[in-house]
Amino acid sequence: MSLEMVEDIKEWIYEASALIKERLSSPLIVEQKTSAADVVTNVDKEVEAFFVQKIQQSYPNEKILGEEGISEPVEDFSGRVWVIDPIDGTLNFVKQQDHFCIMLAVYENGVGRLGFIYEVMRDELLWGGDSIGVYINERKITTVKKQSLADGIINVNTNMFVANSFGTKDIAEKALAVRMTGCAGIAFKEVILGKENGYLSCLQPWDYAPGKILAESLGLIVESLDGKALDLKAQSPVLVAGVETYEDIKNLVHH
Ligand code: 2AM
Ligand code: CA
């Protein structure tokens, strides 16, 4: 991992963002995945292929775990692994042409080193890692505002709220207010920027990988609600929060 790598990744993200904005002027090809609200478009696939090609060109023979599965499957996290979500919040992308992110994370021997969350329509890049710190565009973030659950806004996954899974609805009712943004990257970004106090959602590794690296670099807690260690090969019920809100939520979680 080097500063040159950081600059390469930023350049690819800005290029991918320009490509996505250009594609917004043509009709999208939308396919359903696991449900009507879980969709993929031609642009998701094109953007993932773009990143795979850039990585293979500059960093050959490294492992790539992408949501759309364009590259070889990743069997284990030894060596360097690139984790890509070409468009996070695809339903928002399709229905709103807004509120979606490009996300990328770099792991070395299972340790998260670099995370990037780019909110495309706001031109905001949250990036960094444990050894370089965390930045929003050029501004360094050093602390996250400390607040209890009752003093702030939390972000939750809609299905978990409706089904009250892990007590998500009960937890949300104890917060000052609740938001459902439908984009994991934006939710992580809001928590890291101190605009929201916590986020609960069932996420795939590419949905939480960069956010976890960035959040933990700032002392936030990222954990699975089922008490198990987060597994980069499976979906998990993920909680991110500062320590005060985390303690409040832990006392309310149903198992
Ligand atoms: P995605 O758009 O990259 O699939 C809200 O839907 C958030 O949860 C999004 O960040 C979405 O990421 C993620 N997510 C993970 N699994 C999902 C699923 N089965 N259906 C819809 N969204 C899912
Ligand atoms: Ca996606």
Side-chain angles (χ1 to χ4, degrees), residues 34 37-38 67 85 87-90 182-184 201-203 207 235:
T34 59
D38 184 17
E67 174 168 15
D85 190 344
I87 299 182
D88 171 47
T90 301
C183 174
S201 186
C202 264
L203 298 175
D207 295 315
Q235 192 182 49

Side-chain angles (χ1 to χ4, degrees), residues 29-130:
I29 303 163
V30 185
E31 288 167 57
Q32 201 168 304
K33 290 168 109 180
T34 59
S35 70
D38 184 17
V39 292
V40 61
T41 74
N42 56 309
V43 186
D44 299 60
K45 293 175 192 170
E46 187 181 359
V47 172
E48 183 161 315
F50 166 84
F51 278 108
V52 169
Q53 187 236 332
K54 290 288 181 190
I55 294 164
Q56 286 176 345
Q57 221 166 49
S58 303
Y59 304 89
N61 305 318
E62 297 190 355
K63 297 173 189 170
I64 304 171
L65 174 64
E67 174 168 15
E68 311 314 336
I70 283 167
S71 45
E72 295 282 299
V74 170
E75 301 297 338
D76 64 74
F77 273 72
S78 61
R80 188 181 284 146
V81 184
W82 297 76
V83 182
I84 309 165
D85 190 344
I87 299 182
D88 171 47
T90 301
L91 191 66
N92 291 352
F93 172 64
V94 172
K95 293 290 179 190
Q96 305 181 314
Q97 292 83 50
D98 201 355
H99 308 122
F100 59 92
C101 293
I102 296 168
M103 301 209 288
L104 191 150
V106 180
Y107 277 77
E108 284 172 350
N109 296 314
V111 180
R113 302 305 308 276
L114 293 174
F116 297 80
I117 298 175
Y118 187 66
E119 194 180 340
V120 174
M121 303 313 277
R122 293 187 72 167
D123 292 318
E124 274 185 352
L125 180 63
L126 187 68
W127 60 281
D130 57 346

Side-chain angles (χ1 to χ4, degrees), residues 148-151 154 156 160 164-176 200 225-226 239 244-255:
S148 64
L149 180 63
D151 279 333
I154 66 155
V156 301
M160 285 170 67
N164 197 22
S165 39
F166 297 96
T168 299
K169 187 166 179 284
D170 303 335
I171 293 164
E173 280 167 355
K174 295 278 192 293
L176 189 61
L200 286 88
L225 288 171
D226 59 14
L239 162 66
E244 288 84 358
T245 298
Y246 169 82
E247 294 294 343
D248 293 340
I249 289 176
K250 280 303 262 191
N251 292 327
L252 296 164
V253 169
H254 304 182
H255 291 285

Side-chain angles (χ1 to χ4, degrees), residues 2-34:
S2 64
L3 289 181
E4 197 189 331
M5 180 184 279
V6 173
E7 292 311 312
D8 283 343
I9 296 168
K10 284 187 189 173
E11 207 181 291
W12 303 340
I13 288 174
Y14 295 135
E15 228 180 291
S17 162
L19 182 97
I20 292 173
K21 286 175 178 166
E22 202 182 298
R23 292 292 178 269
L24 278 174
S25 57
S26 325
L28 298 169
I29 303 163
V30 185
E31 288 167 57
Q32 201 168 304
K33 290 168 109 180
T34 59

